[in-house]
Amino acid sequence: MKNFYYLFCLISTLSIHAQNKCDNANAYLVSAYSHVKSSYEANNISHLKYSAHRSLESINLAKKTLADCNCTKALEQANKALEVLAKVDDQPTYEDGRYFVKRAKEFCQQSVIEMDKCATSSYSMPEVIEEDVADASDSNDLASLKNEQAALLAQQEALKRKEAEIKKQLAAQKEKELLLKKQQLVVSYEKMIDLNIKTYNETLKSCNCGHQNISKSSSGNTSEMTTEALKVYYTNQLKTLASAYLAELDSCKL
């Protein structure tokens, strides 16, 4: 019965090892879905294409280990996502690019779902273990099984460290993407403010009332602001400029 116990442990360990093989692929697929979702939610074509390209890179990384996972449906959906993401860079308009990104987002989501199904099924126990296999094991076989089990446990620890490293990298990627999004938001609002000031001053100049030039106030420290705080900050600036412009118009009427 001891031999049976050790054989059972080995089979269980092999099952867990097979599951861990898929962890890397699953992490990359989740990353790919996160990137393509950011692409779909982008408000300009450059951000859309940037995030789509990041999603494509993550799927390519996932494919390197997907073949070892025996999860055919997840691989099929990943290939479909790759096919449409490869077309995004060539699209001339935001709407055209977003059409392909939407399809890729659906394929990526389905690929993650299929990976979850495979992960769940891989934990199922073997249905039949023949008793004569266990009874035939001698002391040398037992020592060999112990050595294999120790090697597999070491591999599991290495995979756990790799998983932690991937999670750290994903967190760093997310932080970089958030910073890029904030930078693009600041640039967009600054351009909008400059355009409004130019329009306001040109309009007031045509009134020939000796108006006071409209100018923007000194920028605050936006580097520490959240995305929502930036939106509120710049919306208030736009309101202040509009109020100053209307006040100048009213003075011209007088």
Side-chain angles (χ1 to χ4, degrees):
M1 290 302 294
K2 284 185 178 179
N3 293 335
F4 174 83
Y5 170 75
Y6 283 114
L7 183 59
F8 174 79
C9 286
L10 176 61
I11 293 172
S12 298
T13 304
L14 286 170
S15 176
I16 295 172
H17 178 57
Q19 172 62 23
N20 283 340
K21 269 187 172 182
C22 299
D23 286 348
N24 286 349
N26 188 46
Y28 284 127
L29 287 176
V30 171
S31 175
Y33 177 72
S34 175
H35 288 311
V36 79
K37 187 171 180 291
S38 295
S39 178
Y40 184 70
E41 294 171 353
N43 57 12
N44 60 76
I45 192 168
S46 60
H47 187 194
L48 178 143
K49 289 186 176 182
Y50 170 80
S51 295
H53 182 70
R54 295 301 300 276
S55 180
L56 187 146
E57 288 179 337
S58 293
I59 295 174
N60 279 325
L61 290 172
K63 285 189 64 177
K64 292 180 180 179
T65 50
L66 263 175
D68 298 328
C69 296
N70 195 26
C71 196
T72 306
K73 290 184 178 180
L75 181 58
E76 288 175 356
Q77 295 298 318
N79 282 330
K80 290 179 180 179
L82 274 179
E83 184 179 346
V84 293
L85 281 172
K87 299 177 181 179
V88 174
D89 263 349
D90 296 330
Q91 302 312 307
T93 68
Y94 170 80
E95 290 74 15
D96 292 335
R98 200 165 188 261
Y99 166 77
F100 288 103
V101 167
K102 181 178 184 295
R103 294 182 61 196
K105 176 172 167 287
E106 293 167 356
F107 290 137
C108 283
Q109 183 178 26
Q110 193 59 40
S111 183
V112 172
I113 291 172
E114 293 299 337
M115 279 296 298
D116 286 341
K117 290 179 182 178
C118 289
T120 303
S121 63
S122 67
Y123 280 111
S124 59
M125 297 301 296
E127 295 181 359
V128 178
I129 301 177
E130 297 183 4
E131 293 183 2
D132 57 343
V133 175
D135 294 337
S137 301
D138 56 20
S139 59
N140 289 333
D141 293 332
L142 181 59
S144 177
L145 288 175
K146 285 182 177 180
N147 289 336
E148 287 187 47
Q149 186 179 27
L152 288 172
L153 288 173
Q155 291 178 10
Q156 280 183 258
E157 290 301 317
L159 287 171
K160 286 180 181 178
R161 290 193 295 271
K162 183 64 176 178
E163 181 182 5
E165 181 183 342
I166 290 173
K167 287 181 178 179
K168 185 178 179 180
Q169 290 174 352
L170 290 175
Q173 287 177 359
K174 187 174 182 180
E175 186 176 348
K176 286 174 65 178
E177 289 170 8
L178 181 60
L179 178 61
L180 176 63
K181 185 176 181 180
K182 286 170 61 177
Q183 289 172 343
Q184 290 176 334
L185 188 65
V186 169
V187 170
S188 177
Y189 272 116
E190 289 289 343
K191 285 183 178 179
M192 189 185 305
I193 286 174
D194 289 340
L195 179 61
N196 282 5
I197 289 174
K198 181 180 179 182
T199 303
Y200 292 160
N201 285 329
E202 286 179 352
T203 303
L204 290 170
K205 186 177 180 180
S206 66
C207 295
N208 197 24
C209 295
H211 71 282
Q212 181 74 29
N213 274 341
I214 305 296
S215 61
K216 62 182 177 183
S217 58
S218 58
S219 299
N221 183 14
T222 59
S223 60
E224 301 298 325
M225 293 184 185
T226 64
T227 301
E228 291 305 315
L230 282 170
K231 290 178 180 179
V232 172
Y233 172 77
Y234 279 110
T235 299
N236 287 337
Q237 285 228 16
L238 288 168
K239 289 179 179 178
T240 300
L241 289 171
S243 296
Y245 169 65
L246 292 174
E248 287 294 328
L249 279 180
D250 287 341
S251 68
C252 280
K253 291 178 182 178
L254 294 175

